[in-house]
Amino acid sequence: MLTPANESDLAEAITEAQGPLRVVGGGTRTVGTGAGEVLSTAGMTGIELYEPGALTIVAKAGTPLSEIEAALAAENQCLPFEPMDHRAVLGTDGEPTIGGVVAGNVSGPRRIQAGACRDSLIGVRFVDGSGTVVKNGGRVMKNVTGYDLVKLMAGSYGTLGVLSEVSFKVLPGNAATATISVAGLDVGQAIAAMSAGLSSPFEVTGAAHGPVGGDETAVTMLRIEGFEASVGYRAEKLVGLLARFGEAKVEQSTAAGSGTDATWAAVRDATMFAGTDEDLWRISVKPSDGVRVAEALGDARMLFDWGGGLVWAGAAPGSDVRAKLEGISGHATLIRADADTHARLGTFHPEPAPLAAITRGIREKFDPRGILNPGLMG
């Protein structure tokens, strides 16, 4: 295993590589199968700059996510996009790293209001497949530097370059949170209720539907955050708005903080699928197509997030969920399955031929030797 301690070591390791490299961070978000010598960024750690007044933080890619979140929480600030912790559903150990979050563009329930990880990312440093150090973006929120490699690196899973440093804009934490829930709705009713909340003026920061409690009863939930008085007012309005769908209840927490409570952590981390033998699929569609996904997958266990636009589905081992979803626009990623299923179906949704050609061209520019996580994304 290659364990560079800094960016210079990283560049040297990639330059001298004689074959494929399997790039990992903390080893908690293993997706698909990979070949090659392991290159871990976990040794490159440390918060390099944190300016609470400027709402910016800069850290080395191997810095544990928990360290970032603790530093922000001490100033009542947070990463806006609420990154998921994959350890429960993947059965992995170790510590999630901030570089791994960026590499996977990992985003949680607040994405519907605050955007994805890439939307908060303002700067990156990385080493490409030829061993060249590349810098793009900066350490301030306003910056124009030409090509937007910042957005390109988010979600590239280490196939274009290995991150060494990332910079984020952050947001203040919330003084109060309220969750408005309605039990017993079917998927169609739930998506209609979530849509009503999201299209309202009440600034919903989470909209999910699924069996998130101690039993299999589906609950539809809307979350609002902010100052206590504002949250109380908006919660009352949302209860009235949802009355036509069923009895709405409010759960309120007024403790100051920037974390995620247990209910929304269960949604964020899809913990209802932890420890089961199901294959786990992550399906991204238009929220209005969530009903079609539910109909196509029949009795599969499902959790709906992002107002119905993100569907977590537990399927029978080896089953081809993409074939069942044919005709529905979107993409389905195989998050958890055995190696044979990953090899047969592919981890990531196949790209249309024109887009695949563009993707290949970009990879050839950044990784001309084809050594960074080869085969992972097609």
Side-chain angles (χ1 to χ4, degrees):
M1 178 188 291
L2 300 172
T3 57
N6 53 51
E7 189 177 75
S8 297
D9 290 349
L10 175 62
E12 182 179 352
I14 294 176
T15 300
E16 296 180 354
Q18 299 300 308
L21 297 173
R22 182 158 66 91
V23 184
V24 301
T28 65
R29 295 184 172 90
T30 53
V31 176
T33 56
E37 185 174 10
V38 173
L39 171 61
S40 171
T41 63
M44 300 188 297
T45 64
I47 296 173
E48 298 185 282
L49 175 71
Y50 177 33
E51 297 182 346
L55 295 173
T56 57
I57 191 167
V58 182
K60 294 179 181 178
T63 307
L65 177 62
S66 59
E67 184 178 331
I68 302 287
E69 292 180 327
L72 293 173
E75 299 290 338
N76 191 31
Q77 294 182 345
C78 65
L79 293 170
F81 50 92
E82 202 173 7
M84 176 185 181
D85 185 340
H86 286 73
R87 285 178 290 187
V89 296
L90 293 179
T92 51
D93 297 317
E95 282 286 328
T97 63
I98 193 64
V101 169
V102 173
N105 191 34
V106 179
S107 313
R110 203 175 288 118
R111 185 189 191 282
I112 56 174
Q113 188 260 352
C117 170
R118 63 166 52 94
D119 298 306
S120 294
L121 190 64
I122 57 176
V124 293
R125 291 180 66 98
F126 64 94
V127 179
D128 68 13
S130 65
T132 301
V133 176
V134 182
K135 176 181 181 293
N136 189 238
R139 298 183 173 192
V140 295
M141 282 189 278
K142 289 184 178 179
N143 108 81
V144 179
T145 55
Y147 295 111
D148 196 352
L149 302 183
V150 173
K151 299 292 191 293
L152 189 65
M153 288 300 292
S156 63
Y157 284 88
T159 60
L160 302 179
V162 182
L163 290 162
S164 56
E165 178 187 281
V166 293
S167 307
F168 288 99
K169 63 180 179 183
V170 300
L171 290 180
N174 295 291
T177 300
T179 297
I180 296 87
S181 63
V182 182
L185 303 184
D186 61 30
V187 174
Q189 294 169 327
I191 289 178
M194 290 188 289
S195 177
L198 288 169
S199 60
S200 76
F202 305 126
E203 298 181 29
V204 171
T205 65
H209 171 78
V212 295
D215 55 31
E216 291 297 306
T217 301
V219 179
T220 307
M221 303 183 300
L222 298 177
R223 179 181 63 185
I224 51 177
E225 300 170 300
F227 295 111
E228 184 176 351
S230 172
V231 166
Y233 171 80
R234 286 181 284 142
E236 182 180 348
K237 292 296 184 181
L238 279 170
V239 167
L241 181 68
L242 298 180
R244 68 180 187 273
F245 298 101
E247 182 183 358
K249 299 180 180 179
V250 179
E251 301 172 15
Q252 183 128 12
S253 170
T254 57
S258 56
T260 299
D261 66 24
T263 299
W264 286 98
V267 174
R268 181 196 67 195
D269 301 339
T271 55
M272 63 177 277
F273 300 102
T276 70
D277 60 0
E278 305 158 294
D279 286 354
L280 181 59
W281 292 80
R282 182 184 184 275
I283 303 162
S284 180
V285 294
K286 295 184 299 184
S288 57
D289 282 337
V291 177
R292 295 178 63 192
V293 171
E295 292 172 346
L297 299 187
D299 294 332
R301 295 200 311 144
M302 282 172 275
L303 171 65
F304 295 80
D305 198 359
W306 302 354
L310 173 63
V311 186
W312 292 96
S319 60
D320 187 352
V321 162
R322 294 190 190 108
K324 297 179 180 180
L325 300 176
E326 189 172 353
I328 302 175
S329 296
H331 52 84
T333 303
L334 181 56
I335 297 295
R336 184 183 71 198
D338 61 30
D340 290 341
T341 301
H342 274 290
R344 178 169 55 89
L345 300 179
T347 299
F348 295 93
H349 203 103
E351 295 176 324
L355 181 57
I358 294 172
T359 301
R360 282 195 302 273
I362 293 173
R363 288 190 190 134
E364 287 169 2
K365 292 292 185 182
F366 285 92
D367 183 21
R369 294 184 291 163
I371 63 171
L372 301 179
N373 283 344
L376 178 60
M377 298 187 76

